[in-house]
């Protein structure tokens, strides 16, 4: 049987890796708070620079996305205003957001904004990913402490399974808890076809504002879901959300 002390040290090392990730997240939160302060002072350019840096790293909140959309619309950049609102809709689906996107894009009917209960649950998990990982890490620490204290009294391997399960859950939450891949149509006009080639049959010719769910990537094409069927769209015509 493996030495209890060596097992403890290995698990403790893994825990501290996740702890360092949590500290980095706290630094990002302070950075966004500074940007929020600049936004309140109407220093929109400076605030936007900080927001964009965090957005590119995948760090954002619904409130931050709304502020980014507000700034973009204020400078006449309707494309990015729509992009941020569309991403906001993923986190907080509501009719008011769609109405605003229709206003920005001049579209009366938008495709791709339907969100199922399963998708909403996944988005909820993604939004609170840091809290989930933090809670699991806390329980892992408690488990490790108990193993350290009682290691010599519990020689059976089954007593290690709770810690192993927690490590697996933390790894899965960090690496596999991701929202569905979606993209916003940003070019006018955009052709949606049946095959990833110029010879594909035309399914639709659309304007910016519609969304597609990405299934896979093939050269210059995305395989997407469009009106409940598989279709293809050129990568240059969309922006990943």
């Amino acid at each position: 049987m493996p030495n209890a002390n060596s097992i403890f040290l290995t698990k403790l090392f893994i825990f501290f890796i996740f702890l360092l990730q949590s500290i980095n997240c706290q630094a990002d939160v302070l950075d966004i708070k500074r940007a929020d302060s600049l936004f309140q002072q109407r220093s929109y350019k400076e605030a936007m620079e900080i927001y964009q840096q965090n957005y590119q790293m995948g760090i954002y909140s619904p409130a931050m996305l709304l502020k980014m959309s507000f700034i973009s619309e204020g400078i006449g950049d309707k494309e990015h205003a729509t992009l941020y609102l569309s991403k906001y809709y993923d986190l907080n689906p509501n009719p008011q957001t769609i109405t605003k996107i229709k206003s920005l894009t001049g579209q009366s009917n938008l495709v791709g904004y339907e969100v199922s209960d399963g998708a909403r649950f996944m988005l909820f998990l993604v939004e609170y990913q840091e809290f989930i990982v933090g809670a699991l890490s806390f329980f892992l620490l408690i488990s490790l402490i108990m193993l350290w204290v009682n290691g010599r009294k519990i020689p059976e391997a089954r007593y290690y399974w709770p810690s192993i399960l927690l490590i697996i859950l933390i790894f899965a939450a960090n690496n596999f808890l991701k929202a569905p891949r979606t993209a916003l149509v940003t070019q006018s006009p955009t052709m949606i076809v049946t095959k990833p080639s110029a010879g594909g049959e035309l399914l639709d010719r659309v304007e910016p504002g519609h969304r597609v769910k990405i299934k896979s990537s093939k050269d210059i094409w995305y395989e997407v879901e469009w009106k409940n069927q598989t279709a293809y769209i050129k990568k240059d015509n969309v922006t990943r959300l």
Side-chain angles (χ1 to χ4, degrees):
M1 186 186 73
N3 182 271
N5 289 346
S6 63
I7 294 175
F8 171 79
L9 291 174
T10 301
K11 293 179 179 178
L12 189 61
F13 175 73
I14 295 172
F15 171 77
F16 277 118
I17 290 176
F18 293 120
L19 183 62
L20 288 174
Q21 290 180 345
S22 177
I23 292 172
N24 288 333
C25 290
Q26 290 297 323
D28 295 329
V29 169
L30 293 175
D31 199 32
I32 293 175
K33 285 185 177 180
R34 184 164 65 89
D36 289 340
S37 178
L38 289 168
F39 183 89
Q40 293 296 329
Q41 298 169 22
R42 299 188 179 182
S43 299
Y44 298 132
K45 181 180 179 181
E46 293 82 358
M48 191 64 164
E49 290 176 355
I50 298 174
Y51 287 145
Q52 287 178 332
Q53 289 172 2
N54 284 275
Y55 181 81
Q56 290 170 0
M57 293 187 294
I59 303 167
Y60 49 80
S61 67
M64 174 179 144
L65 291 170
L66 283 179
K67 290 169 184 173
M68 295 178 75
S69 178
F70 174 84
I71 295 172
S72 298
E73 184 181 4
I75 61 177
D77 187 353
K78 292 186 178 181
E79 178 181 326
H80 280 91
T82 302
L83 175 68
Y84 300 134
L85 273 183
S86 184
K87 190 66 179 177
Y88 169 81
Y89 182 83
D90 280 340
L91 302 176
N92 186 19
N94 62 77
Q96 293 81 5
T97 303
I98 295 181
T99 300
K100 182 61 178 178
I101 293 175
K102 288 180 179 179
S103 172
L104 288 169
T105 61
Q107 299 286 330
S108 57
N109 294 299
L110 293 173
V111 175
Y113 288 85
E114 303 82 8
V115 182
S116 66
D117 291 339
R120 289 188 181 186
F121 179 68
M122 178 59 69
L123 290 170
F124 171 82
L125 293 179
V126 171
E127 183 178 359
Y128 290 96
Q129 182 181 28
E130 293 179 9
F131 297 99
I132 293 172
V133 172
L136 291 173
S137 299
F138 172 77
F139 288 119
L140 175 60
L141 178 61
I142 298 299
S143 173
L144 296 177
I145 292 174
M146 292 179 65
L147 284 175
W148 174 260
V149 172
N150 302 305
R152 296 179 180 177
K153 302 177 183 178
I154 48 175
E156 297 181 36
R158 62 189 178 93
Y159 289 101
Y160 294 95
W161 276 108
S163 297
I164 295 172
L165 178 61
L166 285 168
I167 291 173
I168 293 172
L169 288 175
I170 292 171
F171 177 80
N174 264 318
N175 295 277
F176 301 109
L177 194 56
K178 301 181 185 297
R181 296 188 300 166
T182 56
L184 179 73
V185 175
T186 51
Q187 296 298 316
S188 175
T190 290
M191 312 299 178
I192 300 177
V193 296
T194 56
K195 296 180 180 179
S197 68
E201 180 183 348
L202 181 65
L203 289 176
D204 252 325
R205 186 195 308 264
V206 299
E207 296 296 323
H210 298 284
R211 303 200 320 176
V212 292
K213 184 182 295 184
I214 298 173
K215 292 184 173 181
S216 65
S217 175
K218 298 183 178 181
D219 299 323
I220 63 170
W221 299 87
Y222 280 132
E223 180 183 354
V224 301
E225 182 180 311
W226 177 256
K227 295 182 178 178
N228 297 319
Q229 61 182 315
T230 299
Y232 295 87
I233 191 170
K234 284 188 175 180
K235 293 179 180 179
D236 291 343
N237 292 334
V238 299
T239 300
R240 290 279 301 271
L241 293 172

